[in-house]
Amino acid sequence: MPDQLTGTPALDAVNAALATVQDPEINRPLPELGMVKDVQIEADGTVRVEVYLTVAGCPMRQTITDRVTEAVSGVPGVTAVQVGLDVMSDEQRAELRRTVRGDAADPVIPFSQPGSLTRVYAVASGKGGVGKSSVTVNLAAALAKRGLSVGVVDADIYGHSVPRMLGVEDKPTQVDNMIMPPQAFGVKVISIGMFTPGNTPVVWRGPMLHRALQQFLADVWWGDLDVLLLDLPPGTGDVAISIAQLLPNAEILVVTTPQLAAAEVAERAGAIATQTHQQVVGVIENMSWLELPDGSRMEVFGSGGGQTVSDALTRTLGARVPLLGQIPLDTRVREAGDAGAPVVLAEPGSPAAQAMSAVAEGLAVRQRGLSGMSLGLTPVRH
Ligand SMILES: Nc1ncnc2c1ncn2[C@@H]1O[C@H](COP(=O)(O)OP(=O)(O)O)[C@@H](O)[C@H]1O
Ligand SMILES: [Mg+2]
């Protein structure tokens, strides 16, 4: 409330306004994060707010300044808002990390906590080269375009290709123990390739891989994600098992080509869900046909693979595993991937892009299972 006598804004009211301002990356109120350094109120109604940024050159500085200005401007009696920026000390950053993370020895994976609203999809395939990464980045880009908050973990340790396909060249920034993921097209991206120099192969074995994946999931500052997509290596190896342990709620999306030989191995990759008690969301058939200039379809890799996997997994898992879509072969898919701009954005009208967008649409409107979720509603008795 403004001071009744002088009309200057009240400190309490300014603080209350600041408490409504969220840090854009951490999604918690600035005061809670120790990011408000000082507030000064002048007699003429000017309010000066000093804000601590987590790191110098924080890419969110303008957003934070704008949010603070907007919130404080609304306080009665405020005539002007000035925002000053400072940078946290190491000690303050460590304190912030404790605030956000707690003191737990093991970093916590937010997506596997009860009540997490993030839908986690692990994109799996039997063999490599079927378009798993292409599908992953295009689904991610399409979902982000729809306004969802999306993250991608490139967990294909030997064949990591997601950063290139999304045109991400930045390395993650590190704040204390936390890793800030680079973004492209509104998608936050972390890849094992970002942590290895040049094009060096990763020669990690099970336990190291497990630890690396745990870090990707727990130490990376994802913020509140609606969807997390994981690009798994082909097959049913260590990574798939680690993901099942680290993210038991991850649901599997199987990518296959129409070829029956590919379908058989894809089915195996999906059937791992019986052992890990995961759900298979559905099957995506890629490279389904090539449209010829006369409009006819050439089935380069045969036909029926997607449906075969869908039927077989439905039988094995005892729950319906639908064929979510068929994506035609199209040179634009590859070109867009090479250029670092997913085809759903670069050539949204192409049939391949439309097929991928339709799958993304289906995933976006899909409700998560409600078991074990707190609805945050108070029942009303009639
Ligand atoms: N529908 C498609 N049409 C044309 N090329 C495609 C299509 N899907 C994938 N590709 C290309 O095929 C190659 C393998 O795809 P990729 O997504 O890397 O497969 P994976 O991740 O399964 O190994 C890439 O060069 C990619 O650009
Ligand atoms: Mg790949």
Side-chain angles (χ1 to χ4, degrees):
M1 246 202 279
D3 187 304
Q4 293 304 318
L5 295 174
T6 63
T8 49
L11 183 60
D12 282 357
V14 173
N15 282 332
L18 286 170
T20 67
V21 180
Q22 305 230 338
D23 176 87
E25 286 180 312
I26 309 169
N27 294 321
R28 297 257 295 258
L30 299 189
E32 216 176 276
L33 299 170
M35 290 175 67
V36 178
K37 181 183 177 186
D38 192 29
V39 177
Q40 282 184 15
I41 301 171
E42 307 291 328
D44 68 354
T46 301
V47 177
R48 243 186 286 283
V49 183
E50 290 276 319
V51 174
Y52 279 123
L53 300 175
T54 50
V55 280
C58 169
M60 296 296 162
R61 57 198 307 155
Q62 192 56 50
T63 311
I64 294 174
T65 304
D66 293 347
R67 287 186 182 182
V68 168
T69 307
E70 196 193 332
V72 176
S73 303
V75 174
V78 172
T79 53
V81 183
Q82 293 172 358
V83 181
L85 300 174
D86 197 351
V87 178
M88 287 187 169
S89 66
D90 288 348
E91 180 44 44
Q92 285 168 316
R93 263 194 297 274
E95 182 59 39
L96 177 142
R97 191 185 61 79
R98 279 192 290 275
T99 308
V100 177
R101 283 280 150 77
D103 267 320
D106 254 354
V108 173
I109 296 175
F111 315 113
S112 56
Q113 299 307 300
S116 163
L117 294 175
T118 308
R119 290 189 304 247
V120 184
Y121 297 118
V123 185
S125 71
K127 56 193 214 92
V130 299
K132 186 168 41 61
S133 303
S134 305
V135 166
T136 306
V137 298
N138 278 289
L139 291 181
L143 289 166
K145 189 179 169 192
R146 236 181 151 273
L148 299 189
S149 166
V150 183
V152 175
V153 171
D154 179 4
D156 190 346
I157 35 168
Y158 310 108
H160 46 83
S161 55
V162 167
R164 160 174 278 278
M165 288 182 172
L166 285 170
V168 172
E169 280 164 19
D170 300 344
K171 294 274 172 192
T173 41
Q174 192 148 352
V175 180
D176 201 45
N177 281 344
M178 287 170 300
I179 302 164
M180 302 293 188
Q183 295 195 26
F185 311 106
V187 178
K188 294 178 177 157
V189 189
I190 280 290
S191 168
I192 209 134
M194 294 172 181
F195 300 88
T196 54
N199 204 16
T200 351
V202 181
V203 284
W204 297 348
R205 282 173 189 271
M208 266 186 90
L209 272 180
H210 190 82
R211 174 72 198 123
L213 289 171
Q214 191 172 36
Q215 267 199 354
F216 282 0
L217 298 167
D219 295 348
V220 171
W221 206 314
W222 293 103
D224 283 333
L225 293 184
D226 295 310
V227 178
L228 178 70
L229 289 158
L230 302 131
D231 186 9
L232 300 188
T236 52
D238 288 334
V239 172
I241 293 160
S242 281
I243 291 299
Q245 284 173 356
L246 295 167
L247 294 168
N249 54 332
E251 301 172 279
I252 300 172
L253 271 172
V254 179
V255 179
T256 185
T257 65
Q259 198 174 356
L260 290 182
E264 272 164 29
V265 276
E267 186 190 322
R268 248 175 274 147
I272 193 179
T274 40
Q275 284 160 50
T276 57
H277 306 290
Q278 287 171 293
Q279 276 196 42
V280 180
V281 189
V283 179
I284 300 171
E285 186 186 88
N286 186 30
M287 310 187 176
S288 296
W289 57 77
L290 181 68
E291 198 174 303
L292 299 179
D294 68 359
S296 64
R297 292 175 173 183
M298 179 175 163
E299 291 176 331
V300 179
F301 293 111
S303 67
Q307 192 61 53
T308 303
V309 178
S310 152
D311 293 343
L313 288 177
T314 299
R315 273 195 308 276
T316 316
L317 302 174
R320 202 173 89 83
V321 177
L323 176 60
L324 299 173
Q326 290 178 293
I327 304 162
L329 274 164
D330 188 332
T331 44
R332 287 170 287 187
V333 173
R334 185 198 41 79
E335 283 163 2
D338 287 348
V343 75
V344 291
L345 304 180
E347 297 276 353
S350 64
Q354 290 190 339
M356 293 203 255
S357 296
V359 175
E361 186 67 24
L363 294 178
V365 299
R366 200 172 152 262
Q367 294 297 310
R368 233 189 75 140
L370 292 178
S371 58
M373 269 179 58
S374 156
L375 290 172
L377 297 174
T378 317
V380 177
R381 218 173 293 173
H382 290 279

